[in-house]
Amino acid sequence: MARVVVVTGANAGIGRAVAQAFADDGWSVGILARDADRLRSAEDDLRLRGAHVLSIAADVADAEAVEAAAARFEQELGPIDVWVNNAMATVIGPARDITPEEFARVTEVNYLGYVHGTRAALQRMAPRNAGSILHISSALAFRPIPLQSAYCATKSAGVGFVDSLRTELAHDGVKVHLGTIYLPAVNTPQPLWSRNKTGRAQQFPGEALDPRQVAQVVRFAADHPRREVWIGRTTLAMAIGQWLAPSLMDWYLGRKMWDAQLADRPPANPEGNLFAPVAGDFGIDGPARVGEPVEPSVPRHAIGRVVEEPARSEDLAGIGLESGGALGGLEMDDAWQAGATAASVARGPAAAEFWTSRQAGAARLALVGLALIGAASLVRGGAGRTGCAVRRNLP
């Protein structure tokens, strides 16, 4: 019997890519989102992949609707093995310009939506003493940036909820896994539908990962439970900066990350999808910069398998150089490039597409040390922890 996964926010972007990754591996897939038309399109894609799929149009902010959907998923697909909390909404703009109603709505979707999904899944998994609930989070959960106060706050709240619940499951001896996956910028259609109060279109402040790369790591995490998974150099580098010098990060991000998120053109949909979906089938990919052609960030054939491997000292050394350089006053792109160059020189051309954290506690100690000693780690460092990587299918 096929295993069953449920993905919320699965009609576009990361959620749609995650659903396809599970479908490609033969899972039965339940997808949940607000927009019925876009949901049908996502369902058609999954059926073409040969998946047994059920789509349900529901708002994750509605606890009763989520509970009813979970019951129907189990009735028609079978016992839920993995639940992926992914649905999100946001407002781009200064906190002073965001209304109480807008703050409340972002909280209902991003935070309470995760609570409702987790409770619905846990109610079914706990009696079986099996299952995995994965939460798609962001580096902004532990290092907020300007213009995204509503989003950052809800992601931080989600971490607190999951960590508290984890202690309760430990107390009760319930063996349901809770995992959180922290993302950097990902090239999804989000900038095209976020409510925007700045008068300028949102753009990604640098390189954005292909959503299919994220989906591969989520798929990996379903079979290899990890408390936390950090994807990408920027995620780890932001974490280092927050641990070492949060006040300096406040100043730096306040100076650099405001305009970096905004393009010199008006937003296409300033009202966004906060209270109602934006019409259209947005698919998986977004423009890496608003206004650019929409196409996969990485060719589909280049997405390879996720492998677990020891994290090499040169990886962490490169991240240390990035963080140290940024904190030392280098331009962000220059600091990132310095670290990437150091790692690629040490590792050669077959570098991993991206690298994630497995053991957060050990990682913090290792990364703090590497951030302090920087280039010396290339020779002297020895990372004793484990990560995972998505490798390309190289010719």
Side-chain angles (χ1 to χ4, degrees), residues 15-146:
R16 193 160 177 168
V18 168
Q20 290 183 5
F22 280 92
D24 288 345
D25 282 346
W27 288 55
S28 294
V29 183
I31 55 177
L32 186 151
R34 285 183 302 171
D35 189 288
D37 291 337
R38 197 151 61 231
L39 201 58
R40 280 192 291 271
S41 174
E43 182 178 11
D44 290 342
D45 287 346
L46 295 173
R47 292 193 189 283
L48 288 174
R49 288 173 143 77
H52 183 200
V53 57
L54 172 63
S55 65
I56 298 178
D59 188 337
V60 295
D62 184 338
E64 292 184 359
V66 173
E67 170 60 28
R72 187 178 167 197
F73 284 134
E74 288 231 330
Q75 181 181 4
E76 298 192 26
L77 297 180
I80 298 170
D81 296 287
V82 176
W83 184 288
V84 182
N85 283 314
N86 169 74
M88 60 81 69
T90 192
V91 179
I92 305 300
R96 63 177 178 267
D97 295 336
I98 300 175
T99 67
E101 294 77 17
E102 290 168 338
F103 272 115
R105 176 59 182 169
V106 174
T107 302
E108 289 170 354
V109 175
N110 292 4
Y111 173 58
L112 292 180
Y114 277 28
V115 172
H116 300 331
T118 299
R119 293 184 73 252
L122 191 59
Q123 180 177 327
R124 289 156 178 82
M125 294 176 179
R128 300 192 288 263
N129 211 30
S132 182
I133 304 172
L134 302 178
H135 303 82
I136 306 300
S137 188
S138 167
L140 304 187
F142 49 76
R143 179 52 263 180
I145 61 175

Side-chain angles (χ1 to χ4, degrees), residues 328-349:
L330 289 178
E331 293 294 327
M332 185 71 76
D333 288 345
D334 293 339
W336 266 216
Q337 185 59 43
T341 300
S344 64
V345 168
R347 297 190 60 173

Side-chain angles (χ1 to χ4, degrees), residues 228-264:
E228 295 180 347
V229 180
W230 303 340
I231 300 180
R233 288 180 169 275
T234 54
T235 301
L236 296 178
M238 288 178 71
I240 298 170
Q242 181 69 2
W243 297 324
L244 290 178
S247 295
L248 183 56
M249 290 291 286
D250 293 341
W251 170 82
Y252 183 82
L253 293 172
R255 184 168 66 96
K256 291 292 185 183
M257 198 55 71
W258 189 294
D259 286 335
Q261 297 180 78
L262 301 175
D264 294 327

Side-chain angles (χ1 to χ4, degrees), residues 275-291:
F275 294 99
V278 174
D281 188 0
F282 288 86
I284 290 176
D285 300 287
R289 300 278 182 178
V290 174

